[in-house]
Amino acid sequence: MVRNSCQIILSGVSSDISGAAPPRSHGGIEPVGWNRNIMNALAAQVALLDEHGTILAVNQAWSEFANHMYSDEPVACIGSNYLDALRVLVALGNHSASDALHGMGSVLSREIARFDLDFHCHSTLQSRWLLMQVTALPETTGCLISFLDITERKQSEDTRAQLAAILEATPDFVGMADEQGTMLYANQALRQLRGVGLQSEAPLGQWKDVYPDWAAHIIQEEALPTAVRAGDWSGEVAVLDASGHEVRVHQVILAHRNTDGEIDFFSTSMRNLTESQQQAAALRQAFDELKQTQDQLVNSEKMASIGQLTAGVAHEINNPVGYLNSNLSTLSQYVGDLIRMVESYEAAMFTVPDSSVRADVDRVKRETDLAFLLEDLPKLVAESREGTQRVRKIVQDLKDFAHAGHNEEWQWVDLRNSLERTLNIVHNELKYKADILQDYGTLPEIRCLPGQLNQVFMNLLINAGQAIQENGQVRVTAGQVEDQVWIEISDNGCGMPADVIGHIFDPFFTTKPVGKGTGLGLSISYGIVQKHGGTITVSSEIGQGTTFRMMLPIAGPQAALA
């Protein structure tokens, strides 16, 4: 009986698979080859098995696939037992093979008429996902087994699942609505806000119901028309939580179109501004408190009186600087790896035989200026890391401002190198508005804390740059007078009036707007110079510029006290 069913499929003499009469000759194709041609034309891999699992016939796609899968031994060819091949895989711990063996047994025993299984298959060529379908043949004891490559479908499903997981995990409110305003999707954060539960199938209602009336008006009259016209809209509105309270959000709306150019749906993401507003209020309160502290201390000549306050500020700054520095260190490693990979790709391009591909790559390299990027990227990371180290030194300076610190060793240093390094760091602050003029003369090495002096130089150079509106000059000069060295940093900027000069070294004194300066830079610099046994003075004239002059003992602070 099984043998006759095999003849049915391969020869078409009696009937086709369904039992109908075979087709007559048409278009030059004889009935004897009709079914065989159909089977070989299928993209799926198809095989006919008897009731014992022996392969009786296969199509061309099955033969080619078996050659790739089992090139070492013919376990999936005509005459081999497919059930035995599955049992071997089961013994090796293959769970998919176990499911397939059980399903095929159920079909062959006629417990079920059909069995489907998605499974992950590792061939000798690539990793694939296959759909296995086992179907009982009518009026026979065997079955038909087929494999269909569903790799692309599975990858698409995995990608959608990953994107859905990201949307569900984000704290931002994310949603979609159709052109009529019916909510199609809301992520977990938005469902919780609206009080519709955590189930994604829960009814979401209309988009307009999410907003208070004034915000709904903005969405209807401004946001959606703009998104339809320009593709997107962003702005600040408010949404309603489950209790009807307004929650301020920054919202982005995107209009998505189908292939015909018509609006398919709208998507949105909303970021809760409540926390940032609370932080802003806390900052304003902190500033007011600092301002009151300044008023109380402005007449005090002892910097130690604000030691406790500055130590607290240093502690608060140290936390974000710590993880920033750690991230930059990791980024430096990633950049190095990426550069090595790009260099490997570039070397491999010489072996690409397609000249058009090489030409496209060369064009992109020219457009992106790849050589400059590979050269400049490590420098940017290195400068950023050095910048975070400078910030950490500022934190230490704040601590030193409160109490004496001993974390840095006193050492003999060439100040010319220190000045050059500091100029490199503040280059971006100066390059667009000022020319740098340098004249150091002959300088001996001095005994100092180089990191702290570098901070002084940086503060003075940044202040000089900020005093210049455009097309100015910053002059850095240095020299020796007996057992001391002097350093001057001058600018031809706006200058300062006498009443400001009298307070520039006071803690928290600043002429900059809120958020632009703390008023600690020059007071810290003053303390550092004093720690070195030196002096710092300033001269300035409105419209002419400002000059800061430092005098430092060559042998360090002990020599200054002798």
Side-chain angles (χ1 to χ4, degrees), residues 18-290:
S18 63
R24 299 177 179 178
S25 175
H26 178 73
I29 300 177
E30 296 299 326
V32 70
W34 182 268
N35 288 331
R36 182 185 295 110
N37 290 331
I38 292 176
M39 298 297 289
N40 286 334
L42 295 176
Q45 298 95 39
V46 182
L48 177 68
L49 277 63
D50 66 12
E51 70 271 24
H52 304 295
T54 302
I55 299 177
L56 302 177
V58 300
N59 71 344
Q60 182 176 346
W62 179 284
S63 298
E64 294 174 353
F65 180 72
N67 288 336
H68 293 318
M69 282 288 296
Y70 311 106
S71 57
D72 295 335
E73 50 181 321
V75 298
C77 62
I78 296 175
S80 63
N81 191 288
Y82 196 75
L83 295 180
D84 288 343
L86 289 177
R87 292 186 184 102
V88 172
L89 294 176
V90 171
L92 296 175
N94 190 309
H95 297 294
S96 297
S98 177
D99 294 337
L101 184 63
H102 180 269
M104 288 185 65
S106 298
V107 172
L108 290 174
S109 64
R110 293 304 187 261
E111 296 178 16
I112 58 176
R114 175 170 169 168
F115 168 72
D116 293 350
L117 175 67
D118 292 355
F119 68 96
H120 200 195
C121 173
H122 293 279
S123 72
T124 57
L125 296 181
Q126 60 181 325
S127 178
R128 296 179 179 176
W129 276 95
L130 297 177
L131 169 62
M132 178 184 189
Q133 295 181 319
V134 184
T135 306
L137 293 176
E139 301 180 4
T140 73
T141 56
C143 68
L144 197 68
I145 179 173
S146 67
F147 292 111
L148 184 64
D149 193 321
I150 58 171
T151 304
E152 185 175 346
R153 190 198 80 190
K154 281 299 234 181
Q155 290 174 343
S156 177
E157 291 174 353
D158 291 343
T159 300
R160 287 197 297 269
Q162 292 170 356
L163 291 175
I166 293 173
L167 292 178
E168 289 299 300
T170 180
D172 291 345
F173 310 129
V174 180
M176 293 190 299
D178 61 21
E179 192 176 8
Q180 287 71 42
T182 302
M183 293 287 290
L184 304 174
Y185 167 79
N187 72 338
Q188 178 173 297
L190 184 54
R191 293 197 300 273
Q192 286 181 328
L193 177 76
R194 297 289 298 151
V196 296
L198 299 180
Q199 300 301 318
S200 59
E201 63 271 15
L204 301 174
Q206 293 293 309
W207 196 345
K208 62 182 177 61
D209 299 333
V210 174
Y211 303 95
D213 291 341
W214 66 268
H217 179 78
I218 293 176
I219 296 299
Q220 190 67 36
E221 300 300 325
E222 176 187 340
L224 292 178
T226 300
V228 170
R229 183 179 65 256
D232 64 272
W233 173 88
S234 64
E236 291 189 11
V237 290
V239 293
L240 298 174
D241 64 13
S243 302
H245 298 124
E246 293 188 7
V247 178
R248 298 288 299 190
V249 295
H250 181 273
Q251 182 170 9
V252 177
I253 297 177
L254 301 177
H256 302 265
R257 299 181 182 273
N258 57 27
T259 55
D260 296 328
E262 300 172 343
I263 296 297
D264 196 7
F265 64 93
F266 295 95
S267 68
T268 184
S269 64
M270 296 174 277
R271 174 152 297 180
N272 193 336
L273 296 179
T274 303
E275 183 177 351
S276 61
Q277 290 173 339
Q278 292 173 345
Q279 291 174 343
L283 286 174
R284 285 194 297 270
Q285 181 181 356
F287 174 77
D288 292 339
E289 292 173 355
L290 287 174

Side-chain angles (χ1 to χ4, degrees), residues 424-470:
N424 287 335
I425 295 173
V426 301
H427 177 66
N428 285 337
E429 291 285 335
L430 304 176
K431 64 181 180 180
Y432 297 113
K433 58 174 63 174
D435 296 323
I436 309 300
L437 305 178
Q438 299 165 259
D439 182 9
Y440 300 145
T442 301
L443 282 179
E445 290 188 344
I446 73 167
R447 185 172 176 269
C448 66
L449 299 172
Q452 296 192 17
L453 283 185
N454 287 347
Q455 183 60 49
V456 175
F457 300 153
M458 184 168 67
N459 287 340
L460 298 181
L461 287 168
I462 290 176
N463 283 348
Q466 292 173 344
I468 297 172
Q469 296 300 320
E470 57 183 4

Side-chain angles (χ1 to χ4, degrees), residues 396-422:
Q396 187 57 50
D397 291 338
L398 286 170
K399 292 181 179 180
D400 291 342
F401 186 74
H403 48 76
H406 304 282
N407 292 334
E408 189 176 14
E409 295 288 336
W410 290 87
Q411 51 190 290
W412 292 91
V413 173
D414 187 343
L415 290 182
R416 290 172 296 190
N417 293 335
S418 296
L419 288 166
E420 287 291 341
R421 292 181 62 192
T422 307

